[in-house]
């Protein structure tokens, strides 16, 4: 298959015409973000059965005509592990190019493990071992070699074939529409918004801090995120998470105290020390934003553990009936969240709710009952007389 390398604006109209004739296209991006906060968009690969194109966004500054075709709501966009790719589109336009089909999300319905890698799918579906020669390529360097372009194009060529085979198998199993709600969630713009005031939520260990310490962590995390965005640097280049936790615990309010902290960079103290001390001092005087209930560790009793064992049994039964790995249907953690009433739970949405979530919820509410025989577990609605 001839690879179209698009690096001039006058080449875009013909490519757009090709895209607009397709019911679906496979997409992939190459980007760099090791030295920046925002990903640097370096290459866009698009394919459909019969053709493939690699577009150079560094050479073509105005991609508007191409984006208009990609954002056509009548064309399904097929990606693998799409979150970072969609983040790039969101940063360019402020919108997500739905509808989306993510092969990583779909694969478990065909018996794969949760979140399978792309190389695994290529090997399993196509019996091809991916070439790893350009894994570490600097995609911002120009010119790109023929090998680099071919390597990038292969990703979407294979993705087209995998998507076709996946759809055929899912259709045979009657599972193709099970994924609709999962894919619809990917259109939620909040997934791609970089909100400084909520940056603290991603730091592990926050739930072990006292009130004053948590307030300081929240202030420092927000400052770090804003500064990283402004300077377009990776947030950990400013201060890693463990350093923010250390600052929250030690609470230095003078440059002398700050400089005494182990492993803190002298250059960082000189550049940011004053503002850090001011932030810490101010945060000590105010209450923290409350932890979400799901962030608070819940002490489980033996009764709770027994209930989750019962729920796990139901999950195993339903997973076996549908030839699925039980972990794909529900993890122990998700069952715990269901038990304690957390609403943000995959078991309460889409195919998981239909397969097991409704019954599990009904068992917890007393709307379903369990009965046993030597060979079976029977789950039945409770009838009220």
């Amino acid at each position: 298959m001839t690879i179209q390398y698009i690096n001039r604006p006058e080449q875009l109209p013909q490519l757009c015409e090709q895209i607009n004739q397709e019911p679906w296209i496979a997409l992939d991006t190459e980007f760099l973000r090791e030295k920046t906060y925002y990903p640097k968009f370096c290459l866009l690969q698009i394919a459909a059965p019969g053709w493939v194109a690699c577009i150079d966004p560094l050479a073509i500054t105005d991609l508007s005509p191409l984006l208009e075709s990609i954002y056509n709501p009548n064309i399904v966009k097929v990606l693998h592990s799409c979150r970072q790719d969609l983040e790039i589109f969101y940063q360019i336009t402020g919108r997500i190019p739905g509808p989306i089909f993510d092969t990583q999300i779909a694969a478990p319905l065909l018996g794969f493990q949760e979140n399978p890698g792309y190389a695994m799918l290529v090997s399993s579906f196509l019996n091809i071992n991916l070439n790893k020669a350009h894994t570490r390529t600097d995609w911002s360097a120009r010119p790109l070699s023929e090998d680099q372009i071919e390597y990038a194009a292969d990703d979407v060529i294979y993705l087209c074939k995998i998507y076709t085979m996946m759809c055929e198998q899912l259709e045979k199993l009657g599972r193709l529409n099970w994924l609709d709600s999962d894919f619809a969630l990917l259109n939620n713009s909040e997934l791609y918004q970089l909100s400084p005031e909520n940056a603290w939520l991603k730091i592990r260990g926050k739930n072990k801090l006292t009130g004053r310490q948590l307030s300081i962590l929240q202030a420092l995390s927000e400052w770090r995120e804003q500064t990283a965005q402004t300077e377009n640097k990776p947030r950990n280049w400013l201060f890693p998470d463990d350093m923010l936790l250390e600052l929250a615990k030690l609470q230095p309010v003078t440059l002398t105290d700050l400089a005494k902290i182990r492993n803190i960079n002298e250059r960082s103290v000189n550049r940011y020390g004053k503002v850090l001390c001011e932030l810490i001092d101010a945060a000590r005087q105010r209450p923290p934003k409350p932890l979400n209930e799901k962030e608070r560790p819940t002490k489980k009793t033996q009764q709770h553990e027994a209930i989750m064992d019962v729920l796990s049994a139901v999950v195993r039964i339903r997973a076996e009936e549908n030839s699925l790995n039980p972990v794909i249907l529900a993890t122990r953690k998700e069952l715990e969240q269901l038990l304690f009433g957390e609403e943000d739970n995959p078991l309460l949405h889409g195919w998981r709710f239909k397969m097991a979530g409704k019954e599990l919820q009904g068992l917890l509410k007393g709307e379903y009952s369990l009965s046993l025989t030597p060979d079976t577990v029977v789950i039945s609605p409770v009838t009220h007389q």
Side-chain angles (χ1 to χ4, degrees), residues 161-178:
K161 297 176 181 179
I162 290 171
Y163 172 67
T164 302
M165 296 169 74
M166 269 191 169
C167 286
E168 289 176 356
Q169 294 181 26
L170 289 168
E171 189 69 48
K172 286 180 181 178
L173 293 169
R175 297 178 181 178
L176 191 56
N177 63 350
W178 286 15

Side-chain angles (χ1 to χ4, degrees), residues 272-295:
Y272 304 117
K274 183 179 178 181
V275 68
L276 290 177
C277 290
E278 291 173 351
L279 285 168
I280 291 169
D281 190 39
R284 293 172 64 191
Q285 315 304 321
R286 61 174 181 264
K289 300 173 186 175
L291 281 167
N292 294 333
E293 286 301 317
K294 65 181 178 181
E295 297 289 351

Side-chain angles (χ1 to χ4, degrees), residues 110-182:
L110 296 174
F112 288 87
Q113 67 184 41
E114 190 174 16
N115 300 323
Y118 184 59
M120 177 187 289
L121 296 189
V122 173
S123 176
S124 298
F125 280 97
L126 307 177
N127 197 27
I128 293 172
N129 293 321
L130 282 180
N131 178 5
K132 298 181 180 180
H134 297 288
T135 303
R136 299 290 182 180
T137 287
D138 179 356
W139 292 102
S140 66
R142 294 294 183 272
L144 294 174
S145 68
E146 288 185 12
D147 282 348
Q148 288 174 313
I149 295 171
E150 184 176 339
Y151 172 90
D154 278 347
D155 280 348
V156 283
I157 292 172
Y158 298 150
L159 190 57
C160 283
K161 297 176 181 179
I162 290 171
Y163 172 67
T164 302
M165 296 169 74
M166 269 191 169
C167 286
E168 289 176 356
Q169 294 181 26
L170 289 168
E171 189 69 48
K172 286 180 181 178
L173 293 169
R175 297 178 181 178
L176 191 56
N177 63 350
W178 286 15
L179 297 160
D180 291 348
S181 61
D182 296 75

Side-chain angles (χ1 to χ4, degrees), residues 10-210:
E10 58 268 26
Q11 295 172 288
L12 289 179
Q14 181 179 348
L15 176 60
C16 292
E17 185 176 341
Q18 286 178 287
I19 293 172
N20 291 333
Q21 293 174 357
E22 302 291 346
W24 58 268
I25 54 173
L27 293 177
D28 190 26
T29 64
E30 305 296 345
F31 56 87
L32 296 178
R33 70 184 316 166
E34 288 85 356
K35 299 180 181 179
T36 59
Y37 180 89
Y38 298 102
K40 183 177 182 180
F41 187 19
C42 300
L43 195 68
L44 171 62
Q45 303 99 281
I46 307 177
W51 62 268
V52 61
C54 292
I55 301 95
D56 186 350
L58 300 181
I60 305 175
T61 55
D62 183 9
L63 293 173
S64 300
L66 177 61
L67 292 172
E68 184 176 348
S69 294
I70 292 174
Y71 276 73
N72 184 333
N74 297 316
I75 301 174
V76 175
K77 273 62 72 171
V78 181
L79 302 100
H80 179 85
S81 187
C82 68
R83 289 281 294 272
Q84 289 187 311
D85 300 298
L86 295 182
E87 182 184 335
I88 290 175
F89 287 104
Y90 183 79
Q91 288 175 10
I92 295 173
T93 67
R95 298 181 294 118
I96 303 301
I100 303 295
F101 185 103
D102 189 323
T103 53
Q104 187 177 70
I105 294 175
L109 290 184
L110 296 174
F112 288 87
Q113 67 184 41
E114 190 174 16
N115 300 323
Y118 184 59
M120 177 187 289
L121 296 189
V122 173
S123 176
S124 298
F125 280 97
L126 307 177
N127 197 27
I128 293 172
N129 293 321
L130 282 180
N131 178 5
K132 298 181 180 180
H134 297 288
T135 303
R136 299 290 182 180
T137 287
D138 179 356
W139 292 102
S140 66
R142 294 294 183 272
L144 294 174
S145 68
E146 288 185 12
D147 282 348
Q148 288 174 313
I149 295 171
E150 184 176 339
Y151 172 90
D154 278 347
D155 280 348
V156 283
I157 292 172
Y158 298 150
L159 190 57
C160 283
K161 297 176 181 179
I162 290 171
Y163 172 67
T164 302
M165 296 169 74
M166 269 191 169
C167 286
E168 289 176 356
Q169 294 181 26
L170 289 168
E171 189 69 48
K172 286 180 181 178
L173 293 169
R175 297 178 181 178
L176 191 56
N177 63 350
W178 286 15
L179 297 160
D180 291 348
S181 61
D182 296 75
F183 294 153
L185 292 174
L186 295 170
N187 292 315
N188 182 2
S189 61
E190 292 182 4
L191 294 175
Y192 315 97
Q193 292 171 352
L194 308 173
S195 177
E197 61 270 21
N198 293 325
W200 66 279
L201 293 170
K202 297 182 179 180
I203 297 182
R204 294 181 179 179
K206 59 186 175 295
N207 56 321
K208 298 179 181 179
L209 300 179
T210 65

Side-chain angles (χ1 to χ4, degrees), residues 325-374:
N325 185 327
V327 176
I328 302 303
L329 181 52
T331 64
R332 184 85 175 179
K333 182 67 175 178
E334 288 164 350
L335 293 177
E336 180 183 326
Q337 292 169 345
L338 187 71
L339 173 60
F340 290 113
E342 293 184 21
E343 296 181 1
D344 185 15
N345 190 318
L347 278 165
L348 301 180
H349 307 286
W351 64 270
R352 291 177 177 87
F353 180 73
K354 295 176 183 177
M355 187 179 293
K358 183 178 180 180
E359 286 181 333
L360 295 173
Q361 204 174 44
L363 283 169
L364 291 172
K365 292 179 178 179
E367 297 170 354
Y368 283 78
S369 65
L370 285 175
S371 59
L372 305 176
T373 72

